[in-house]
């Protein structure tokens, strides 16, 4: 294993333009074990083949139905099983959702994500959800929803309404999964992803780190995602937000460099996907954000709140972008440029 890690970085990973779906756990373990600088250099090298290294996509997130969820996800403040003091809110009126979407347009976001604390959507809620998708798209925003498990028919209904992305996370490795959730299986999650993909929507799927899992579980999560028949277009990497009242409230800190390694390995395994620095940013300083962007993260949730927990203020994110020479991505890049944008060379010449 060590001899692999000491090869030059460009020998260590994929050949140019190669997108693979057959990563072994051992190969991924080797990436995690690389010297930190080699791993980051490799991740950044791969990143530049597919993306402008100085652009980060920004999405706004809105909770359209909050709390009272019947599931038992051990990390989640919205499960009805844990006393987290959360105020329960029923499905939001369409006009209130659109007010927030207009504010997102004004703040420069290009994607608007709506999340509901459901195990899966009820048929009676579908017309309201469909109207939200249509309204958000009419404002020129890309739309994303995360509503829990979907049947094939529900996925098709959302695709038909124009929903661009569906978020459904695998959360962790198949082996660790049972320690975190018992009310739905890993296979249930894979089936929802399959329904989303076959309905023609884009897939957003990732997981959470810092839940007490081992490195082999972080490798296992990324292996599952990278070996899907098509890579998810977006891969959110959440750092656990420890919420009082949940079973994971006293979980130990994850080594920050291990978090950065996870981002870098995700970037290498899924070179053309947006890797999203998701929950947990409130606990990360500017240096940590900068390292995550260097490791290949190129998407964030933007705005003061995630679903129920705080997020850095938008102006703090923009101030950091400015200091790092990063611009918000204007639109989703279907096929990324082979070379950095002209902006990259302008910045380099300064
Ligand atoms: N109820 C739906 C579901 O679980 O599929 C959608 C909403 S759920 C809140 C979306 C995702 O948020 C979860 O899959 C999990 O990855 C993430 N999440 C929830 N609570 C979190 C926490 N405390 N820290 C980090 N990520 C969290
Ligand atoms: C995802 O992977 N992270 C977002 C989004 N998908 C919907 C949610 C993070 C939630 C963090 C805890 C909260 O704010 O309730
Ligand atoms: Fe419910 Fe989703 Fe939270 Fe699990 S993660 S308890 S399904 S809202």
């Amino acid at each position: 294993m060590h001899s692999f890690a000491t090869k030059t970085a460009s020998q260590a990973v994929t050949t140019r333009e190669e997108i693979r779906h057959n990563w072994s756990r051992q190969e991924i373990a080797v990436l995690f074990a690389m010297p930190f600088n080699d791993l980051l250099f490799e991740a950044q090298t791969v990143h530049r083949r597919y993306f402008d290294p100085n652009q980060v996509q920004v999405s706004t997130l809105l909770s359209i139905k909050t709390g009272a969820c019947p599931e038992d996800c051990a990390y989640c403040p919205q499960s009805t099983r844990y006393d987290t003091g959360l105020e329960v809110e029923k499905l939001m009126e369409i006009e209130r959702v659109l007010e927030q979407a207009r504010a997102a347009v004004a703040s420069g976001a290009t994607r608007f994500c709506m999340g509901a604390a459901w195990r899966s959507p009820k048929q009676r809620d579908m017309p309201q959800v469909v109207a939200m998708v249509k309204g958000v798209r009419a404002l020129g925003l890309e739309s994303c929803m995360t509503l829990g498990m979907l049947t094939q028919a529900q996925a098709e209904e959302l695709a038909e309404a124009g929903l661009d992305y569906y978020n459904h996370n695998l959360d962790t490795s198949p082996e660790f999964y049972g320690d975190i959730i018992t009310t739905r299986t890993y296979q249930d999650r894979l089936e929802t992803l399959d329904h989303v993909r076959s309905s023609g929507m884009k897939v957003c799927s990732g997981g959470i780190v810092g839940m007490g899992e081992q490195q082999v579980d972080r490798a296992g999560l990324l292996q599952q995602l990278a070996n899907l028949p098509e890579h998810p277009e977006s891969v959110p990497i959440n750092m656990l937000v420890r919420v009082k009242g949940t079973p994971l409230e006293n979980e130990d800190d994850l080594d920050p460099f291990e978090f950065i390694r996870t981002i870098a390995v995700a970037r290498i395994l899924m070179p053309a996907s947006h890797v999203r620095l998701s929950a947990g940013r409130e606990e990360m300083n500017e240096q940590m954000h900068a390292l995550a962007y260097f490791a290949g993260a190129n998407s964030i949730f933007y705005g003061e709140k995630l679903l129920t927990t705080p997020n850095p203020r938008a102006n703090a994110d923009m101030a950091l972008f400015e200091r790092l020479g990063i611009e918000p991505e204007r639109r989703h890049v279907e096929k990324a440029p082979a070379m950095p944008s002209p902006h990259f060379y302008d910045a380099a010449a300064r």
Side-chain angles (χ1 to χ4, degrees):
M1 185 195 279
H2 189 253
S3 67
F4 188 96
T6 54
K7 280 181 182 175
T8 64
S10 57
Q11 284 173 296
V13 200
T14 56
T15 56
R16 203 174 166 84
E17 316 298 353
E18 188 177 7
I19 295 194
R20 292 176 46 193
H21 302 268
N22 60 350
W23 289 93
S24 71
R25 193 73 68 96
Q26 175 61 13
E27 284 177 294
I28 300 172
V30 166
L31 291 173
F32 268 100
M34 279 169 81
F36 189 73
N37 286 343
D38 286 347
L39 176 62
L40 259 64
F41 180 73
E42 187 60 44
Q44 177 65 201
T45 304
V46 170
H47 189 51
R48 283 164 185 265
R49 287 183 201 141
Y50 292 86
F51 290 101
D52 182 326
N54 301 308
Q55 286 200 359
V56 170
Q57 188 254 330
V58 296
S59 303
T60 305
L61 188 54
L62 176 70
S63 181
I64 59 169
K65 186 265 167 183
T66 307
C69 181
E71 301 291 278
D72 71 350
C73 313
Y75 48 76
C76 188
Q78 304 202 67
S79 167
T80 190
R81 297 162 194 244
Y82 318 129
D83 182 7
T84 60
L86 188 70
E87 203 173 309
V88 173
E89 287 172 38
K90 63 178 181 35
L91 185 59
M92 221 181 237
E93 295 299 326
I94 296 158
E95 195 36 49
R96 276 193 62 211
V97 173
L98 296 185
E99 264 167 38
Q100 299 292 319
R102 284 185 212 103
V105 174
S107 76
T110 53
R111 191 178 307 170
F112 191 71
C113 301
M114 294 160 269
W118 284 329
R119 171 179 164 81
S120 52
K122 302 243 178 344
Q123 260 335 100
R124 64 165 186 268
D125 293 322
M126 289 302 282
Q128 199 164 330
V129 163
V130 160
M132 289 175 192
V133 173
K134 290 185 175 162
V136 165
R137 290 200 88 230
L139 295 171
L141 286 163
E142 284 188 310
S143 55
C144 175
M145 280 187 162
T146 180
L147 313 172
M149 294 186 288
L150 293 183
T151 62
Q152 184 65 48
Q154 287 174 324
E156 279 163 19
E157 201 177 339
L158 292 171
E160 180 73 15
L163 187 62
D164 298 290
Y165 287 82
Y166 195 79
N167 166 246
H168 196 68
N169 291 337
L170 293 178
D171 278 349
T172 189
S173 67
E175 296 79 7
F176 190 63
Y177 183 84
D179 287 22
I180 302 296
I181 299 139
T182 69
T183 48
R184 72 175 75 161
T185 66
Y186 212 79
Q187 188 55 33
D188 288 333
R189 289 183 186 256
L190 290 168
E191 279 168 21
T192 290
L193 292 183
D194 194 41
H195 297 153
V196 172
R197 182 57 86 196
S198 59
S199 75
M201 287 188 285
K202 292 181 190 136
V203 173
C204 170
S205 188
I208 312 181
V209 298
M211 299 192 293
E213 77 287 344
Q214 303 297 302
Q215 190 180 73
V216 69
D217 298 303
R218 293 184 280 278
L221 164 69
L222 297 180
Q223 181 189 25
Q224 288 288 324
L225 295 166
N227 290 350
L228 289 170
E230 280 182 70
H231 291 168
E233 281 80 1
S234 290
V235 180
I237 305 293
N238 296 278
M239 172 86 101
L240 174 70
V241 179
R242 290 165 290 204
V243 179
K244 200 164 177 321
T246 63
L248 300 185
E249 66 172 311
N250 294 319
E251 208 43 67
D252 288 340
D253 280 343
L254 180 72
D255 173 4
F257 297 126
E258 182 64 18
F259 179 80
I260 299 294
R261 282 182 186 275
T262 308
I263 298 268
V265 175
R267 164 53 60 223
I268 291 165
L269 301 189
M270 293 167 279
S273 303
H274 278 77
V275 174
R276 182 172 303 137
L277 185 54
S278 301
R281 295 201 300 115
E282 185 74 340
E283 300 248 326
M284 297 176 199
N285 64 18
E286 291 173 328
Q287 296 88 321
M288 180 84 170
H289 278 80
L291 261 185
Y293 297 138
F294 188 74
N298 61 345
S299 177
I300 57 168
F301 284 120
Y302 184 63
E304 280 168 39
K305 203 155 95 167
L306 289 163
L307 291 172
T308 65
T309 62
N311 198 39
R313 286 173 178 276
N315 53 13
D317 281 323
M318 282 303 133
L320 182 60
F321 278 13
E322 182 72 30
R323 287 171 70 197
L324 299 178
I326 289 174
E327 290 179 337
E329 185 186 290
R330 273 180 216 93
R331 60 181 176 81
H332 178 74
V333 181
E334 287 292 345
K335 190 164 181 340
M339 299 296 284
S341 73
H343 171 79
F344 171 71
Y345 296 107
D346 293 343
R350 277 204 290 272

